[in-house]
Amino acid sequence: MRFPTSFALGLAVAVALAACKSPGPGTRRFIDFEKDSPDSPPAAFDSWRTGRGPYGEWLVQQAPDAPSGKNVLAQMSKDPTDKRFPMAILRDAPVGDVRIRAKVKPVSGDVDRAAGLVVRWMDVEHYYITRANALEGNIRLYHFVGGLRTQIGNWDGPVTADAWHDYALEVVGDRLKVSWDGQVVIDLKDTTIAAPGRVGLWTKADSVTAFDDVEVTRL
């Protein structure tokens, strides 16, 4: 995993990826981390961070309860800095209409216990994100613009800690849908971020969170 050190580098990466020829609609990519070495960063993702504090510590781990195989990806850092949002962004060409789906497991955290999914990631200050919080018992949808987070959707319901959940975020045009354990819990329209971007995984503050079976489908 690369660890970019500047905002300018992030823009350069986004521009370079935008120049790549993107696969067409219906293209699906599935990542189960089985080809990654345990205790190593995941090969397909870059580590980024919005806000303050250190970057996340994204490491492949062996887990006896992994949804498939033996390996999962976990954000291991317990740094409690508030408004610290570690991300693992998939190193693929930007896409506009897309669905990212993953198995997620909020493991621990005293400030937050959150698992998140990202779409239309242009850089560390511009993207859509949904996050499920096991401490608050809710799921929210936000956009980040200029590094400022604005809530645009909310659902209150059971988000169980230390258990695997099926989580998905889909964006087509200006319509965004969030699904949790097979149920659509947020469905709305927002025109704030229209440009194509990358997809990824997200946590907050001291959240230790596991992810597996990441599925990305171009729509």
Side-chain angles (χ1 to χ4, degrees):
M1 182 187 296
R2 295 174 291 173
F3 289 86
T5 57
S6 71
F7 179 69
L9 179 57
L11 291 177
V13 170
V15 170
L17 287 171
C20 298
K21 183 177 180 181
S22 299
T27 304
R28 174 180 174 270
R29 183 172 184 184
F30 183 77
I31 304 169
D32 60 6
F33 307 103
E34 293 307 301
K35 294 182 180 180
D36 290 289
S37 299
D39 299 317
S40 298
F45 292 80
D46 290 321
S47 178
W48 295 88
R49 187 264 295 137
T50 299
R52 304 173 296 183
Y55 277 42
E57 185 180 5
W58 295 91
L59 296 173
V60 174
Q61 302 283 291
Q62 290 194 329
D65 66 341
S68 66
K70 297 180 179 180
N71 289 352
V72 303
L73 175 61
Q75 195 299 116
M76 304 294 291
S77 171
K78 298 180 181 180
D79 187 286
T81 303
D82 193 22
K83 296 184 180 179
R84 168 183 176 260
F85 309 110
M87 292 173 284
I89 301 298
L90 186 63
R91 198 179 303 127
D92 276 359
V95 60
D97 297 341
V98 67
R99 179 191 306 113
I100 179 170
R101 179 180 178 183
K103 299 297 193 303
V104 303
K105 179 182 178 181
V107 177
S108 65
D110 295 323
V111 177
D112 269 273
R113 200 169 298 175
L117 303 174
V118 174
V119 297
R120 292 190 179 167
W121 186 95
M122 301 172 66
D123 53 53
V124 295
E125 295 189 332
H126 300 86
Y127 55 91
Y128 285 111
I129 177 263
T130 178
R131 71 101 181 99
N133 192 316
L135 292 182
E136 298 178 5
N138 59 35
I139 293 173
R140 290 180 176 169
L141 179 63
Y142 301 91
H143 59 62
F144 275 81
V145 176
L148 299 177
R149 183 179 55 158
T150 300
Q151 180 180 320
I152 57 174
N154 182 71
W155 175 80
D156 293 318
V159 178
T160 308
D162 209 28
W164 288 100
H165 299 275
D166 191 335
Y167 201 12
L169 172 58
E170 172 182 312
V171 58
V172 177
D174 62 356
R175 188 170 185 180
L176 296 106
K177 291 184 180 180
V178 178
S179 299
W180 182 251
D181 287 335
Q183 174 189 357
V184 176
V185 294
I186 299 174
D187 185 348
L188 55 80
K189 290 186 175 182
D190 185 83
T191 60
T192 303
I193 303 175
R198 296 162 72 186
V199 302
L201 313 173
W202 183 100
T203 66
K204 182 183 177 186
D206 62 344
S207 301
V208 173
T209 307
F211 300 82
D212 198 12
D213 294 352
V214 179
E215 179 182 314
V216 179
T217 306
R218 295 171 181 267
L219 303 174

